[in-house]
């Protein structure tokens, strides 16, 4: 069974700081990995999608890397802003399941202090 | 296309009542998923449709839950005889192809009192 772990569970940083969120998964037979943002009481917003053959993806101040062999991904946020405060979720699409359903971690709750 | 729409946004119901949620996926997406998220947890997979066919169901989907996707368009998720443990956020996601990732709706927050 695929398991996804996110560390840390919560993180508080001052505005302007660069930060890294970590995600690990137990089964390297993934199809792709997706990072999402979730604001309190809201749905999920997709941030970055990395295919299993890729090493990284970038969008603005966000950069996500993938090391499939070691079962790890990181989300790097540059020059953090108070508006980045949210819960960040990592999810993997496991290629062993016909539906390619996502398995999620519990998330990292980020607070950026002005 | 404005994305994945879910209705209602919030639902409060008494224990034992039936509830139904609706999801309208992005029109060209043939894959549709339902997930459930409880407080402090990541979403958990419930069921998957490809077009109108329900191809996979999680063991989390007890016999009180039923989902449909008539004509491969919108989908409904019904919970019969609701229990307090059903209180959660119910999220719908759609995808055109596994390569392109998933787009989620805003969710339906269910509270069973």
């Amino acid at each position: 069974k695929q398991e996804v772990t996110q560390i840390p569970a919560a993180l508080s940083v001052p505005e302007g700081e660069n930060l890294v969120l970590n995600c690990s998964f137990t089964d390297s037979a993934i199809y792709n990995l997706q990072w999402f943002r979730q604001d309190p009481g809201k749905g999920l917003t997709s941030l970055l999608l990395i295919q299993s053959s890729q090493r990284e993806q970038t969008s603005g101040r966000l950069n996500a890397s993938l090391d499939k062999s070691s079962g790890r991904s990181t989300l790097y946020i540059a020059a953090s802003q108070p508006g980045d405060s949210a819960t960040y979720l990592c999810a993997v699409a496991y290629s062993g399941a016909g539906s390619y359903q996502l398995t999620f971690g519990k998330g990292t709750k980020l607070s950026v202090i002005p | 296309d404005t994305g994945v729409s879910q209705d209602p946004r919030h639902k409060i119901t008494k224990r034992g009542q039936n509830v139904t949620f609706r999801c309208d996926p992005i029109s060209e997406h043939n894959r549709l998923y339902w997930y459930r998220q409880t407080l402090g947890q990541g979403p958990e997979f419930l069921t998957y449709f490809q077009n109108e066919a329900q191809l996979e169901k999680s063991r989390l989907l007890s016999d009180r839950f039923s989902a449909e996707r008539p004509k491969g368009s919108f989908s409904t998720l019904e919970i019969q005889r609701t229990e307090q443990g059903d209180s959660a956020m119910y999220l719908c996601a759609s995808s055109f192809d596994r390569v392109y990732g998933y787009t989620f709706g805003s969710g339906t927050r269910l509270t069973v009192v």
Side-chain angles (χ1 to χ4, degrees):
Chain A
K1 178 188 173 186
Q2 179 73 272
E3 294 183 0
V4 179
T5 303
Q6 291 188 246
I7 295 173
L11 181 64
S12 182
V13 300
E15 181 178 2
E17 193 163 294
N18 302 328
L19 58 101
V20 174
L21 307 181
N22 296 290
C23 171
S24 61
F25 45 93
T26 54
D27 192 331
S28 62
I30 66 168
Y31 191 78
N32 56 39
L33 183 146
Q34 202 163 354
W35 282 93
F36 295 91
R37 168 188 172 135
Q38 187 173 34
D39 292 291
K42 306 293 185 183
L44 278 61
T45 300
S46 180
L47 298 174
L48 290 166
L49 170 68
I50 309 178
Q51 304 298 336
S52 61
S53 59
Q54 296 176 323
R55 297 283 294 183
E56 66 178 327
Q57 283 287 335
T58 298
S59 176
R61 294 183 293 109
L62 306 179
N63 175 276
S65 67
L66 173 64
D67 184 341
K68 200 173 76 163
S69 61
S70 68
R72 295 185 179 184
S73 176
T74 61
L75 178 66
Y76 174 83
I77 302 177
S80 58
Q81 303 171 357
D84 295 332
S85 298
T87 295
Y88 291 79
L89 292 158
C90 167
V92 297
Y94 175 51
S95 56
S99 63
Y100 291 87
Q101 64 187 256
L102 293 176
T103 301
F104 284 84
K106 293 184 178 181
T108 294
K109 185 174 182 179
L110 173 66
S111 298
V112 180
I113 312 303
Chain B
D1 203 328
T2 56
V4 178
S5 299
Q6 291 190 246
D7 184 70
R9 294 294 304 276
H10 304 276
K11 178 71 176 178
I12 299 175
T13 190
K14 292 184 178 179
R15 190 173 53 185
Q17 297 294 305
N18 299 343
V19 294
T20 300
F21 310 141
R22 176 178 171 127
C23 171
D24 287 272
I26 293 173
S27 57
E28 62 266 29
H29 287 186
N30 62 344
R31 303 165 77 97
L32 186 147
Y33 302 78
W34 285 98
Y35 288 81
R36 180 172 70 185
Q37 185 180 27
T38 54
L39 200 61
Q41 303 295 314
E44 294 178 292
F45 170 76
L46 291 179
T47 191
Y48 159 66
F49 289 86
Q50 184 159 337
N51 300 311
E52 67 276 9
Q54 187 175 20
L55 297 184
E56 193 165 338
K57 292 192 288 186
S58 162
R59 56 183 169 77
L60 294 176
L61 211 66
S62 76
D63 56 6
R64 296 185 298 104
F65 288 69
S66 63
E68 294 182 342
R69 191 183 182 197
K71 302 179 182 179
S73 55
F74 70 92
S75 176
T76 58
L77 177 68
E78 180 183 17
I79 309 175
Q80 296 181 328
R81 306 181 303 281
T82 52
E83 302 173 354
Q84 285 189 320
D86 297 330
S87 295
M89 173 79 87
Y90 290 84
L91 294 160
C92 176
S94 70
S95 173
F96 173 67
D97 184 90
R98 61 195 184 192
V99 175
Y100 299 107
Y102 304 83
T103 302
F104 278 79
S106 298
T108 293
R109 166 76 64 188
L110 173 67
T111 302
V112 181
V113 297

